[in-house]
């Protein structure tokens, strides 16, 4: 274990990439009716009731309107990035896969590698930054819904994707100063105390 450098940064980057990959399949957006959507649904229901002219159907439609009004602003379904983002979900999965590969290859490398030759830092930082920009873009500008009948609101998947991207960058920036070896510790101790093991 002498001279081994801490690898917490690599673990943080790898875990962040895993969180990013998993978040693609979690709910990113909640779908709810807008006021225009509820109005349209009521109009369609009234037209159907007027066309068929059945008293039972008209009474049913009045109770349906009351139930429909209670749905205003309430999410009735959720969309994952895999469902809502056709191309970006693939990009995020590729970025996460590359980051996992870079982190695992660096972890599998020699334990006594010099901290000054951390070639994994730049790729992990770049992958995390690109992923964070992609996620932030879709958080600020969610996919458009045809018409003004449905509204999208952010769900936990988008926030987890952002957290995973930030963790990838944080792991790349994690300090990786080498742990001093036993020989180095003995030399420092001998300089401070004036005692040497040979004496």
């Amino acid at each position: 274990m002498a001279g081994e450098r801490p690898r917490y940064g690599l673990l943080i980057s790898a875990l962040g990439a895993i969180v990013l990959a998993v978040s693609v399949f979690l709910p990113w957006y909640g779908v709810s009716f807008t006021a225009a959507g509820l109005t349209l649904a009521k109009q369609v229901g009234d037209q159907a009731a007027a066309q068929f002219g059945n008293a039972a159907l008209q009474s049913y439609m009045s109770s349906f309107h009351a139930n429909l009004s209670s749905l205003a602003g309430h999410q009735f379904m959720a969309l994952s990035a895999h469902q809502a983002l056709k191309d970006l979900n693939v990009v995020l999965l590729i970025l996460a896969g590359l980051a996992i590969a870079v982190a695992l290859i660096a972890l599998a490398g020699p334990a006594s590698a010099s901290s000054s030759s951390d070639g994994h830092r730049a790729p992990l930082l770049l992958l995390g930054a690109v992923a964070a920009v992609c996620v932030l873009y879709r958080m600020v500008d969610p996919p458009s819904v045809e018409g003004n009948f449905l509204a999208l609101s952010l769900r936990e998947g988008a926030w987890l994707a952002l957290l995973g991207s930030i963790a990838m960058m944080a792991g790349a920036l994690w300090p990786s100063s080498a742990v001093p070896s036993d020989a180095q510790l003995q030399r420092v101790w001998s300089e401070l105390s004036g005692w040497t093991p040979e004496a």
Side-chain angles (χ1 to χ4, degrees), residues 68-92:
L68 197 60
S69 298
S70 66
L71 289 177
H74 293 289
Q75 296 178 9
F76 63 91
M77 67 177 295
L79 295 173
S80 66
H82 182 67
Q83 296 169 318
L85 310 175
K86 294 182 180 178
D87 298 327
L88 190 61
N89 68 334
V90 177
V91 172
L92 292 176

Side-chain angles (χ1 to χ4, degrees), residues 73 87 92 106 124-125 127 160-161 172:
D87 298 327
L92 292 176
L124 287 175
L125 187 61
L127 292 170
L160 279 175

Side-chain angles (χ1 to χ4, degrees), residues 79-169:
L79 295 173
S80 66
H82 182 67
Q83 296 169 318
L85 310 175
K86 294 182 180 178
D87 298 327
L88 190 61
N89 68 334
V90 177
V91 172
L92 292 176
L93 287 174
I94 290 173
L95 292 172
L98 289 174
I100 292 170
V102 169
L104 291 181
I105 289 172
L107 278 171
S112 59
S114 172
S115 62
S116 62
S117 64
D118 286 338
H120 63 275
R121 287 179 174 272
L124 287 175
L125 187 61
L126 179 63
L127 292 170
V130 172
V133 168
C134 292
V135 172
L136 280 172
Y137 167 67
R138 276 313 183 186
M139 290 176 76
V140 174
D141 184 24
S144 58
V145 181
E146 293 184 12
N148 295 328
F149 308 125
L150 297 175
L152 298 180
S153 57
L154 290 177
R155 290 281 304 267
E156 63 274 10
W159 294 105
L160 279 175
L162 183 62
L163 179 65
S165 304
I166 292 172
M168 289 165 59
M169 292 187 290

